[in-house]
């Protein structure tokens, strides 16, 4: 699969140990993992690697299950402006709404909010001991994944002072309100 990986920009570094998220965006009350107890965590939707490979394309697999980022302006969802909902391609959980979407020329799918109890976060890379920067001096990235099946969706980024969800189109299914 190595040749396919050259198409992707960044890697979610430690998916294997994920479930480490201690908070759920939009609904802290639903946090299911207390800090330091990650080993007890299990996503509601569990599939074997073979099952994931059979239901996803190769590109979707390396994005959603290995944490890579698609090339910008992949497909048309980044500029989609119709009303509708956006669901996780891995488990159909409703993650985002068009009313919170913003079209940016950067070419990924951007939202100002997720749905309540929809996504969880993790730290991409190896943070310095006291946080703030990764040990190699680069910026620390907050990764976003589906709280039901654990599939990587994208990252949280700051854009004009707003925390914005920067999501891979290939991790989502768009469901227009009026087809
Ligand atoms: Zn999911």
């Amino acid at each position: 699969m190595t040749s396919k990986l050259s198409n992707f920009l960044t890697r979610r570094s430690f998916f294997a140990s994920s479930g480490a998220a201690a908070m759920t965006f939009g609904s802290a009350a639903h946090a299911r993992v207390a800090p330091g107890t990650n080993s007890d965590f299990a996503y509601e939707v569990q599939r074997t690697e073979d099952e994931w490979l059979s239901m996803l394309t190769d590109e979707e697999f390396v994005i959603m299950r290995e944490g890579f980022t698609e090339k910008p302006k992949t497909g048309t969802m980044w500029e989609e402006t119709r009303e509708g909902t956006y669901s996780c391609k891995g488990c159909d959980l409703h993650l985002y709404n068009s009313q919170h979407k913003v079209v940016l020329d950067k070419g990924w799918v951007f939202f100002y909010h997720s749905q309540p109890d929809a996504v969880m976060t993790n730290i991409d890379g190896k943070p310095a001991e006291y946080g703030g920067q990764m040990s190699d001096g680069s910026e620390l990235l907050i990764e976003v994944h589906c709280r039901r099946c654990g599939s990587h969706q994208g990252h949280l980024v700051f854009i004009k002072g707003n925390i914005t969800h920067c999501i891979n189109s290939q991790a989502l299914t768009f469901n227009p309100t009026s087809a």
Side-chain angles (χ1 to χ4, degrees):
M1 197 176 284
T2 305
S3 62
K4 295 189 179 75
L5 303 186
S6 62
N7 292 327
F8 297 87
L9 300 175
T10 59
R11 179 148 206 256
R12 177 180 174 188
S13 300
F14 54 97
F15 181 82
S17 64
S18 73
M23 61 184 290
T24 303
F25 249 77
S27 180
H30 283 81
R32 303 180 60 206
V33 187
T37 59
N38 298 337
S39 60
D40 296 336
F41 184 84
Y43 292 102
E44 286 174 37
V45 172
Q46 301 272 341
R47 306 186 206 282
T48 65
E49 184 166 313
D50 282 348
E51 288 170 335
W52 284 116
L53 284 166
S54 69
M55 67 178 282
L56 301 175
T57 68
D58 289 345
E59 287 202 350
E60 290 164 358
F61 182 85
V62 296
I63 292 166
M64 294 168 60
R65 306 309 302 174
E66 298 191 334
F68 284 78
T69 298
E70 69 192 9
K71 285 184 172 177
K73 301 188 179 175
T74 301
T76 59
M77 198 182 290
W78 71 275
E79 55 183 351
E80 176 65 63
T81 56
R82 287 176 293 170
E83 286 186 20
T85 60
Y86 293 81
S87 303
C88 172
K89 198 172 275 177
C91 71
D92 289 333
L93 182 65
H94 177 188
L95 301 183
Y96 297 101
N97 266 356
S98 57
Q99 70 192 97
H100 301 131
K101 187 176 187 292
V102 58
V103 175
L104 300 172
D105 195 48
K106 297 174 186 301
W108 290 286
V109 192
F110 292 92
F111 302 93
Y112 288 131
H113 300 285
S114 63
Q115 291 302 105
D117 196 19
V119 299
M120 300 172 78
T121 58
N122 206 341
I123 296 170
D124 235 354
K126 185 175 179 222
E129 186 172 359
Y130 296 104
Q133 273 194 327
M134 286 165 60
S135 51
D136 65 359
S138 61
E139 268 187 72
L140 185 148
L141 274 175
I142 305 297
E143 177 275 344
V144 178
H145 59 275
C146 171
R147 68 102 173 132
R148 189 155 71 183
C149 73
S151 291
H152 173 68
Q153 295 289 323
H155 292 92
L156 297 183
V157 295
F158 264 110
I159 297 179
K160 296 179 182 173
N162 293 307
I163 291 181
T164 307
H165 297 232
C166 174
I167 304 299
N168 292 286
S169 64
Q170 290 174 88
L172 294 171
T173 303
F174 176 58
N175 316 287
T177 302
S178 54

